[in-house]
PDB file of all heavy atoms in Angstrom:
ATOM      1  N   LEU A 158       0.370 -34.899  36.118  1.00 96.00           N
ATOM      2  CA  LEU A 158       0.310 -34.631  34.685  1.00 96.00           C
ATOM      3  C   LEU A 158       1.692 -34.311  34.127  1.00 96.00           C
ATOM      4  O   LEU A 158       2.029 -34.694  33.007  1.00 96.00           O
ATOM      5  CB  LEU A 158      -0.646 -33.457  34.421  1.00 96.00           C
ATOM      6  CG  LEU A 158      -2.134 -33.738  34.644  1.00 96.00           C
ATOM      7  CD1 LEU A 158      -2.926 -32.442  34.552  1.00 96.00           C
ATOM      8  CD2 LEU A 158      -2.645 -34.765  33.633  1.00 96.00           C
ATOM      9  N   GLN A 159       2.477 -33.567  34.893  1.00 96.00           N
ATOM     10  CA  GLN A 159       3.846 -33.253  34.500  1.00 96.00           C
ATOM     11  C   GLN A 159       4.788 -33.649  35.645  1.00 96.00           C
ATOM     12  O   GLN A 159       5.357 -32.797  36.328  1.00 96.00           O
ATOM     13  CB  GLN A 159       3.994 -31.772  34.160  1.00 96.00           C
ATOM     14  CG  GLN A 159       3.263 -31.376  32.873  1.00 96.00           C
ATOM     15  CD  GLN A 159       3.513 -29.921  32.508  1.00 96.00           C
ATOM     16  OE1 GLN A 159       3.427 -29.026  33.337  1.00 96.00           O
ATOM     17  NE2 GLN A 159       3.824 -29.680  31.245  1.00 96.00           N
ATOM     18  N   ALA A 160       4.953 -34.930  35.834  1.00 97.00           N
ATOM     19  CA  ALA A 160       5.817 -35.428  36.904  1.00 97.00           C
ATOM     20  C   ALA A 160       7.273 -35.049  36.626  1.00 97.00           C
ATOM     21  O   ALA A 160       7.759 -35.184  35.499  1.00 97.00           O
ATOM     22  CB  ALA A 160       5.681 -36.944  37.013  1.00 97.00           C
ATOM     23  N   ASP A 161       7.961 -34.560  37.658  1.00 97.00           N
ATOM     24  CA  ASP A 161       9.357 -34.173  37.503  1.00 97.00           C
ATOM     25  C   ASP A 161      10.327 -35.297  37.846  1.00 97.00           C
ATOM     26  O   ASP A 161      11.520 -35.204  37.568  1.00 97.00           O
ATOM     27  CB  ASP A 161       9.669 -32.940  38.348  1.00 97.00           C
ATOM     28  CG  ASP A 161       9.250 -33.080  39.812  1.00 97.00           C
ATOM     29  OD1 ASP A 161       8.232 -33.749  40.071  1.00 97.00           O
ATOM     30  OD2 ASP A 161       9.918 -32.510  40.683  1.00 97.00           O
ATOM     31  N   GLY A 162       9.816 -36.380  38.425  1.00 98.00           N
ATOM     32  CA  GLY A 162      10.680 -37.472  38.846  1.00 98.00           C
ATOM     33  C   GLY A 162      11.476 -38.136  37.735  1.00 98.00           C
ATOM     34  O   GLY A 162      12.693 -38.339  37.877  1.00 98.00           O
ATOM     35  N   PRO A 163      10.848 -38.520  36.605  1.00 98.00           N
ATOM     36  CA  PRO A 163      11.605 -39.198  35.545  1.00 98.00           C
ATOM     37  C   PRO A 163      12.799 -38.400  35.023  1.00 98.00           C
ATOM     38  O   PRO A 163      13.888 -38.951  34.849  1.00 98.00           O
ATOM     39  CB  PRO A 163      10.542 -39.411  34.458  1.00 98.00           C
ATOM     40  CG  PRO A 163       9.257 -39.514  35.218  1.00 98.00           C
ATOM     41  CD  PRO A 163       9.392 -38.508  36.333  1.00 98.00           C
ATOM     42  N   GLN A 164      12.608 -37.097  34.793  1.00 98.00           N
ATOM     43  CA  GLN A 164      13.728 -36.275  34.313  1.00 98.00           C
ATOM     44  C   GLN A 164      14.814 -36.158  35.371  1.00 98.00           C
ATOM     45  O   GLN A 164      16.011 -36.239  35.070  1.00 98.00           O
ATOM     46  CB  GLN A 164      13.235 -34.881  33.920  1.00 98.00           C
ATOM     47  CG  GLN A 164      14.325 -33.999  33.299  1.00 98.00           C
ATOM     48  CD  GLN A 164      14.795 -34.517  31.960  1.00 98.00           C
ATOM     49  OE1 GLN A 164      14.010 -34.670  31.032  1.00 98.00           O
ATOM     50  NE2 GLN A 164      16.091 -34.809  31.836  1.00 98.00           N
ATOM     51  N   ASN A 165      14.419 -35.971  36.629  1.00 98.00           N
ATOM     52  CA  ASN A 165      15.408 -35.871  37.700  1.00 98.00           C
ATOM     53  C   ASN A 165      16.216 -37.156  37.827  1.00 98.00           C
ATOM     54  O   ASN A 165      17.431 -37.122  38.043  1.00 98.00           O
ATOM     55  CB  ASN A 165      14.725 -35.548  39.030  1.00 98.00           C
ATOM     56  CG  ASN A 165      14.279 -34.098  39.120  1.00 98.00           C
ATOM     57  OD1 ASN A 165      14.708 -33.254  38.341  1.00 98.00           O
ATOM     58  ND2 ASN A 165      13.409 -33.802  40.068  1.00 98.00           N
ATOM     59  N   LEU A 166      15.546 -38.306  37.698  1.00 98.00           N
ATOM     60  CA  LEU A 166      16.246 -39.580  37.797  1.00 98.00           C
ATOM     61  C   LEU A 166      17.207 -39.763  36.620  1.00 98.00           C
ATOM     62  O   LEU A 166      18.348 -40.202  36.800  1.00 98.00           O
ATOM     63  CB  LEU A 166      15.238 -40.727  37.850  1.00 98.00           C
ATOM     64  CG  LEU A 166      15.818 -42.137  37.969  1.00 98.00           C
ATOM     65  CD1 LEU A 166      16.730 -42.267  39.182  1.00 98.00           C
ATOM     66  CD2 LEU A 166      14.702 -43.171  38.030  1.00 98.00           C
ATOM     67  N   LEU A 167      16.760 -39.422  35.430  1.00 98.00           N
ATOM     68  CA  LEU A 167      17.636 -39.507  34.255  1.00 98.00           C
ATOM     69  C   LEU A 167      18.860 -38.616  34.428  1.00 98.00           C
ATOM     70  O   LEU A 167      19.993 -39.024  34.154  1.00 98.00           O
ATOM     71  CB  LEU A 167      16.855 -39.110  33.000  1.00 98.00           C
ATOM     72  CG  LEU A 167      17.638 -39.109  31.685  1.00 98.00           C
ATOM     73  CD1 LEU A 167      18.172 -40.497  31.355  1.00 98.00           C
ATOM     74  CD2 LEU A 167      16.759 -38.589  30.546  1.00 98.00           C
ATOM     75  N   ASP A 168      18.649 -37.388  34.899  1.00 98.00           N
ATOM     76  CA  ASP A 168      19.768 -36.468  35.123  1.00 98.00           C
ATOM     77  C   ASP A 168      20.725 -37.009  36.181  1.00 98.00           C
ATOM     78  O   ASP A 168      21.953 -36.884  36.055  1.00 98.00           O
ATOM     79  CB  ASP A 168      19.243 -35.092  35.554  1.00 98.00           C
ATOM     80  CG  ASP A 168      18.545 -34.336  34.436  1.00 98.00           C
ATOM     81  OD1 ASP A 168      18.659 -34.757  33.268  1.00 98.00           O
ATOM     82  OD2 ASP A 168      17.881 -33.327  34.738  1.00 98.00           O
ATOM     83  N   ALA A 169      20.179 -37.592  37.241  1.00 98.00           N
ATOM     84  CA  ALA A 169      21.015 -38.120  38.317  1.00 98.00           C
ATOM     85  C   ALA A 169      21.891 -39.266  37.824  1.00 98.00           C
ATOM     86  O   ALA A 169      23.074 -39.357  38.181  1.00 98.00           O
ATOM     87  CB  ALA A 169      20.142 -38.585  39.482  1.00 98.00           C
ATOM     88  N   VAL A 170      21.321 -40.136  37.002  1.00 98.00           N
ATOM     89  CA  VAL A 170      22.107 -41.237  36.453  1.00 98.00           C
ATOM     90  C   VAL A 170      23.198 -40.708  35.522  1.00 98.00           C
ATOM     91  O   VAL A 170      24.332 -41.206  35.522  1.00 98.00           O
ATOM     92  CB  VAL A 170      21.190 -42.243  35.723  1.00 98.00           C
ATOM     93  CG1 VAL A 170      22.007 -43.272  34.944  1.00 98.00           C
ATOM     94  CG2 VAL A 170      20.284 -42.955  36.725  1.00 98.00           C
ATOM     95  N   ALA A 171      22.885 -39.674  34.743  1.00 97.00           N
ATOM     96  CA  ALA A 171      23.899 -39.070  33.877  1.00 97.00           C
ATOM     97  C   ALA A 171      25.064 -38.530  34.698  1.00 97.00           C
ATOM     98  O   ALA A 171      26.229 -38.717  34.349  1.00 97.00           O
ATOM     99  CB  ALA A 171      23.272 -37.953  33.044  1.00 97.00           C
TER     100      ALA A 171
END
Side-chain angles (χ1 to χ4, degrees):
L158 290 171
Q159 291 184 313
D161 52 327
Q164 185 67 58
N165 285 344
L166 181 56
L167 178 61
D168 289 348
V170 170

